[in-house]
Amino acid sequence: MIHSVDLYSKNRIIKVVNILTTGEEMTKYNKSEAELEAIFQQKIDSEQKIEPKDWMPEAYRKNLIRQMSQHAHSEIIGMQPEGNFITRAPSLRRKTVLLSKVQDEGGHGLYLYSATETLGIERSELISALQSGQAKYASIFNYPAQTWGDMGAIGWLVDGAAIVNQVSLQRTSYGPYARGMIRICKEESFHQRQGYVIMMELAKGTPAQKQMAQDSLNRFYWPSLMMFGPHDSESAHSAKSMKWKIKRETNDDLRQKFIDQTAPQIAYLGLEHPDKDLVWNEEKGQHDSGEIDWEEFYAVINGNGHSNRQRIQHHVKAHEEGAWVRDAMSEYKQKKLQRKINAETAA
Amino acid sequence: MTSSTETVSKQDIIDYSARLGDDAIVIGHRLSEWVSRAPFIEEDVALGNVALDFFGHARMYYTHAAQLSNEQNGTDDITEDDFAYLRDERQFQNHLLHELHKGDFAYTTARQLLIDVYNKYFLEQLEKSNDETLAAIAVKASKETKYHCRRSKDWTLRLGDGSSESHKRMQLALNDIWGYSHELFELDDLEQRLVDAGIAVDCTLLKADWLKEVTAIIEEATLTVPDQEWAVRGGRQGYHTEHLGHLLTEMQFVHRSFPGAKW
Ligand SMILES: [Fe+2]
Ligand SMILES: [Fe+2]
């Protein structure tokens, strides 16, 4: 149980108290659902943002809740693989940079939960959905972080891929989400840089360090391409999301951007590219690349990654161990309130 | 703090700065263990923040020790990391209270209360040190420490005066760690020399203010100041509990696996 409302108010963007049902909306706006939907789509087509108080189709709201909460969960679950190396960071400078980075991700999670709450759902409900497995988080975090090089690869590639996606989402149609992305993107570029700096230090370091960098690149390159999701032809949510401008660019287009931006970065490090089929296609002005192992992608999503169970169990354990703290907070608050009332009545 | 620095050696200041660094890195490590394990996300972030402050303090103290070491040895390659990563358990001189295990949230809160209030009074005095670098570090660290104190007080009140469960856990935690607080107020020969030279803080003089403030908070939180006579000491002499070895093993493992590597 989470005592959410007062605790989280600092990070709350707008709390919509009255989410109206479609029926109530129709009465309120004195319009039919078809008319409301036409107005809504027209707003989207003319690049106006949808705000929490606006009418929106139920499916749009649901789709957003799914995507935004998945994004929030990814920030939070993503704290684990990197958090796992804070105590082992090999220099004090890297330790402080990594800790700041992981903290930022916690902040992103908070911010995104608050933005999702503007759609009329509580953080506690979102967290239960995560813990029950009903809601997803980015499958990349089901890969284990084994070496210090993985801190480099995660910051550089995983945050790098996330940025490509999030930059595109700065233009998403839902106002609170779009604004959240703008704010979050500013910090993400620092995350990617810190990862790349780790890789640069390793790549120009001792042979053992260079080997470590190559190994991390090899393990994280393909999974980071998978972060963009299945091919457009296979993607369940794509068409509607594009029409509503929740998504602004397709999975394959975003992935291509990432492949193109990453290739010269790998070359600069002097590391071997993990994709042996990668070639520059002059005509298209982009790289042709090898095929992703989709079997692995679905296997990991479906629970066969090294860390799927661990990530959720870790989250549940922390949540359960914190229950008495959250309870104590609300009891304390209650007591204080009661004392104030008592004092006022006495006076 | 008045007299001259002639009676103390550079090595004395190096050792003193390093032990202050040890306190900071060790408690920072313990706090950082909370990240992704806190009772709610705001606390993951807040505990991470406090840990970062301590890491920052550790780096300033170690860097000072490293610079003095370079001056002393005519070298330029001794760094903060040599102090954090290449010294063993017997060489670390942090107070024992800092190294005790992470514990539950009550344990962390109780320990932070004792440490944060201590640091507040300690840094106030260190600001007057004849060693300009230490004085400057103290000015910077004081600001953050005031915030830490507020946080620790607020949490002590919430947990002590919260639910019966949280009250019980807080009292147990205080009882568990109280005996480690005494050595915070003791001087060894090194510190005595540095006190005489106006460089180190005479921590024996901090006890009264510390006890008064800590007692007031504990009592306001409806908790009881433990009156046990037991006291464990030895941190400043490298005589540690078994907790520290594990902490250092984890902290130093990657660094030591690649001798001479840069990160
Ligand atoms: Fe993030
Ligand atoms: Fe990030």
Side-chain angles (χ1 to χ4, degrees), chain A residues 26-40:
Chain A
M26 283 161 65
T27 329
K28 184 183 162 201
Y29 294 102
N30 199 20
K31 287 197 170 63
S32 73
E33 189 168 356
E35 286 170 316
L36 287 169
E37 189 141 9
I39 296 168
F40 168 83

Side-chain angles (χ1 to χ4, degrees), chain B residues 41-62:
Chain B
I41 310 165
E42 284 81 349
E43 273 304 301
D44 284 300
V45 175
L47 287 161
N49 247 328
V50 180
L52 269 177
D53 289 342
F54 279 107
F55 289 152
H57 304 169
R59 296 185 67 189
M60 293 190 285
Y61 288 127
Y62 283 155

Side-chain angles (χ1 to χ4, degrees), chain B residues 189-209:
Chain B
D189 292 344
L190 167 74
E191 289 189 19
Q192 187 62 61
R193 279 199 301 282
L194 289 163
V195 166
D196 294 340
I199 290 171
V201 173
D202 185 350
C203 53
T204 62
L205 304 178
L206 308 179
K207 179 98 185 221
D209 283 339

